[in-house]
Amino acid sequence: MEVWRLLRTWSGAPGYNMALDEALLLGSARPTLRLYTWEPEALSLGYFQRARDVPNLERAHAAVRRLTGGGAIHHAHELTFSITAPLEHPLYAGEVRGSYERVHAAIADALATFGVHAELRGTSALQSDREGTGMCFEHSTDLDLAWSGAKGVGSAQRRTKGRVLHHGSIKLDRSPLDASVAAIRDVAPSATLEQVAERLLASFASRFGVEFETAEPSKAEGARASERTSHFTSNAFVHRR
Amino acid sequence: MRPDDRKYTKSHEWVKLDGDTIKIGITDFAVTELCSGNEGDLVYCDLPEPGRELDAGETFGEIESVKAVADLNTPLAGTVAEVNVAIEEHLEILSRDPFNDGWMIKITPKSKSLDVDGLMDAAAYEELLAAKEA
């Protein structure tokens, strides 16, 4: 059975969170699942977004720009995950679409244990979709996981040098800057972040036939992340477009 | 069969001699991987400015589909001579004609030879794709 590294990095600073994902993308060849949260809460812009297209940027206390595309996310009351793996890995080989279907199916399994019936959005837009906000959770696509007429899981990928970084946000609750998301606690009010994390691990293990080995970032990954932390919060990068 | 007048990389770029320059683009396979045949799923392409010097293997641009940002790499060293700016406004060109109108950049190469390690002719590239789909 394949063994993935499992990193749990709770309450990471926004810049460090993005820098560690970058270090993992460029680091170990071994598939790695990272589960993390943010302290302080922060807004992340998609790699190609124009800052002026995201009005919430001015309201956010902290901001970063991601390596992945898509819309802005307010990282609060959520479990954030990242998967880093070689592009040849069966989870990611082939069309991008297929990899989303596989990963989101595993997340949907985990959510089902809370009574949340998350499904791929499909062809119809959601009630929560809105123009002009630049927010990921208000701009759904057919591969997004939704329930109660809104998007509850947003994820995006970066593919570089034969590797993939796939990260995403699973919403436990709404925040003032992400007020229209579908939330796990709408269905399961007592659900905790730790429970969501553990059930996600169980679902990934079952769906993908893998085991997890709890680990820390390697020295090289940690050093690279520390070195690059300030880049992801820098004015030059956040406002590069 | 893909065009046999050029060479291909395993990361699905193509390179073709064009007078004193070399054209670089991405293959239909790369486009399909990103957008699964939905040309509207390609949302942004960032290409370099003319005059930029590129090393072999360097990332010269980035392309975003609805669900992934991917690097664009040059297998050959050279200086960017011309950029197909039409792509940045009309990404559908990449879906409709990736091997001709969908060229991305022209470089003035340090060496005009396409006989470089890692570059495949069309037949070898087809074999690579067949192995992926097997």
Side-chain angles (χ1 to χ4, degrees):
Chain A
M1 185 173 282
E2 186 180 22
V3 181
W4 286 21
R5 280 197 308 171
L6 171 64
L7 309 180
R8 293 182 179 90
T9 57
W10 306 131
S11 303
Y16 176 79
N17 276 344
M18 295 296 90
L20 183 54
D21 275 352
E22 179 187 55
L24 297 173
L25 174 62
L26 302 173
S28 168
R30 197 168 155 200
T32 299
L33 172 65
R34 177 183 170 218
L35 303 177
Y36 59 104
T37 57
W38 303 63
E39 182 59 44
E41 299 169 352
L43 185 111
S44 73
L45 297 178
Y47 187 72
F48 281 120
Q49 276 193 299
R50 285 182 298 212
R52 67 173 183 269
D53 291 341
V54 184
N56 275 345
L57 183 57
E58 289 185 9
R59 299 172 61 199
H61 295 301
V64 294
R65 188 180 284 276
R66 302 190 307 270
L67 287 176
T68 55
I73 296 175
H74 187 230
H75 299 283
H77 311 304
E78 70 172 43
L79 176 67
T80 316
F81 71 87
S82 76
I83 302 168
T84 42
L87 272 176
E88 294 82 21
H89 190 280
L91 193 54
Y92 289 99
E95 294 180 12
V96 172
R97 165 174 290 272
S99 65
Y100 274 91
E101 290 169 348
R102 292 185 282 274
V103 171
H104 283 184
I107 296 172
D109 284 352
L111 295 175
T113 66
F114 294 97
V116 174
H117 298 292
E119 295 182 323
L120 297 181
R121 189 208 72 172
T123 53
S124 302
L126 297 172
Q127 298 162 15
S128 54
D129 287 346
R130 286 177 181 77
E131 295 286 334
T133 70
M135 297 300 289
C136 168
F137 280 85
E138 293 178 342
H139 179 80
S140 64
T141 69
D142 59 338
L143 292 170
D144 288 324
L145 279 176
W147 60 95
S148 307
K151 177 172 169 179
V153 177
S155 75
Q157 294 181 15
R158 175 85 191 200
R159 292 174 169 231
T160 188
K161 303 201 185 307
R163 303 260 304 158
V164 60
L165 161 67
H166 187 173
H167 63 192
S169 297
I170 302 170
K171 291 294 186 183
L172 276 84
D173 225 330
R174 278 170 278 281
S175 74
L177 298 187
D178 251 338
S180 52
V181 307
I184 293 172
R185 286 180 181 150
D186 288 346
V187 179
S190 60
T192 66
L193 188 129
E194 291 75 16
Q195 288 172 336
V196 176
E198 293 313 310
R199 295 185 196 187
L200 190 68
L201 290 176
S203 173
F204 274 36
S206 169
R207 275 262 177 186
F208 306 146
V210 300
E211 291 180 350
F212 292 101
E213 180 180 274
T214 299
E216 300 290 329
S218 70
K219 279 189 178 175
E221 290 164 344
R224 182 180 175 88
S226 296
E227 186 183 311
R228 293 278 290 169
T229 290
S230 61
H231 167 73
F232 287 94
T233 55
S234 68
N235 200 47
F237 190 54
V238 174
H239 289 273
R240 79 182 188 102
R241 293 194 76 225
Chain B
M1 182 79 173
R2 273 82 183 176
D4 62 2
D5 58 354
R6 64 196 74 196
K7 293 287 185 73
Y8 298 85
T9 71
K10 68 176 183 181
S11 53
H12 312 296
E13 289 92 5
W14 56 259
V15 292
K16 179 186 176 187
L17 285 171
D18 184 63
D20 290 332
T21 65
I22 288 175
K23 278 184 179 175
I24 302 174
I26 60 174
T27 70
D28 61 315
F29 183 87
V31 174
T32 299
E33 270 201 326
L34 282 168
C35 69
S36 302
N38 302 315
E39 63 183 32
D41 280 5
L42 293 177
V43 293
Y44 193 79
C45 185
D46 191 26
L47 296 174
E49 294 293 323
R52 183 174 152 194
E53 293 195 11
L54 298 169
D55 292 328
E58 188 172 344
T59 297
F60 68 79
E62 293 156 321
I63 187 166
E64 181 181 22
S65 73
V66 168
K67 281 299 177 189
V69 176
D71 291 350
L72 303 168
N73 304 306
T74 171
L76 303 168
T79 304
V80 178
E82 193 177 338
V83 175
N84 189 357
V85 293
I87 286 176
E88 293 176 327
E89 296 298 320
H90 297 283
L91 285 158
E92 68 275 10
I93 295 171
L94 293 174
S95 297
R96 295 175 186 175
D97 192 10
F99 294 112
N100 296 294
D101 290 346
W103 67 274
M104 292 179 155
I105 60 172
K106 294 181 185 179
I107 62 168
T108 304
K110 288 189 175 170
S111 163
K112 281 184 68 175
S113 172
L114 298 186
D115 292 324
V116 174
D117 281 351
L119 287 182
M120 294 169 275
D121 61 19
Y125 183 64
E126 298 285 350
E127 284 178 21
L128 175 83
L129 298 187
K132 278 180 174 291
E133 288 160 3

